[in-house]
Amino acid sequence: MTMKIEAAVKSVLVVEDEQSIRDVLVELFEVDGNVVTSAELLPEALEKLRTQRFDLIVTDLRLGGKRDGGLQVMALAGMLSPDAMVLVLTAYPDDSNRQASFRLGALHFLEKPVDLATIANHAVAVGVKTAFESSVTQ
């Protein structure tokens, strides 16, 4: 009797207030083996963090005009999904935001526009598959 070992399902949270970017990021991670959740604004993101653990969190720094929205996402993620890799996307890469992001556990601070391959490479490093990987392996 042979047993097929299934890879563990990975959960991804995409927090981005710009719909076109959110849609592209969700599409990047919507492959077999991933469960993708997205949130547009801070209250929705915080609620999702309270109800689910994530392996990868990709968050915009500014959410719906809140300068520190992404920082709040990272703070709660650090408590509720402490093992998650956090990627921060921002069009405002000032040094204080960068330092605050790293203090709150972000592993990567990426300036928009971000090349999707860069995001995919970071995700694969923690075992999260992406559409790039699927197209390469098929």
Side-chain angles (χ1 to χ4, degrees):
M1 182 172 149
T2 58
M3 287 180 50
K4 184 178 176 189
I5 298 173
E6 292 290 322
V9 171
K10 297 290 186 174
S11 59
V12 179
L13 175 62
V14 174
V15 184
E16 170 61 65
D17 58 355
E18 213 171 303
Q19 181 164 358
S20 59
I21 296 172
R22 189 172 63 248
D23 290 348
V24 167
L25 290 170
V26 166
E27 194 173 308
L28 174 66
F29 295 113
E30 274 190 334
V31 297
D32 285 346
N34 292 346
V35 174
V36 184
T37 303
S38 66
E40 178 180 0
L41 298 173
L42 183 61
E44 185 183 2
L46 297 179
E47 182 58 32
K48 293 191 187 303
L49 282 164
R50 285 186 192 103
T51 58
Q52 189 178 345
R53 291 181 71 85
F54 294 96
D55 298 296
L56 175 65
I57 299 167
V58 181
T59 184
D60 189 7
L61 194 58
R62 291 189 181 194
L63 296 169
K66 287 192 73 70
R67 291 177 53 95
D68 66 346
L71 296 176
Q72 290 183 47
V73 168
M74 287 179 263
L76 192 59
M79 290 185 283
L80 300 178
S81 286
D83 298 329
M85 172 189 273
V86 178
L87 302 178
V88 179
L89 309 180
T90 185
Y92 306 95
D94 66 62
D95 225 32
S96 63
N97 283 336
R98 181 183 308 273
Q99 295 306 319
S101 296
F102 289 137
R103 273 196 307 276
L104 288 169
L107 291 183
H108 302 284
F109 188 87
L110 306 170
E111 187 173 348
K112 291 179 181 178
V114 180
D115 180 33
L116 285 178
T118 300
I119 295 171
N121 287 337
H122 290 312
V124 168
V126 291
V128 176
K129 294 180 187 167
T130 68
F132 278 95
E133 187 181 8
S134 296
S135 63
V136 170
T137 57
Q138 290 177 357

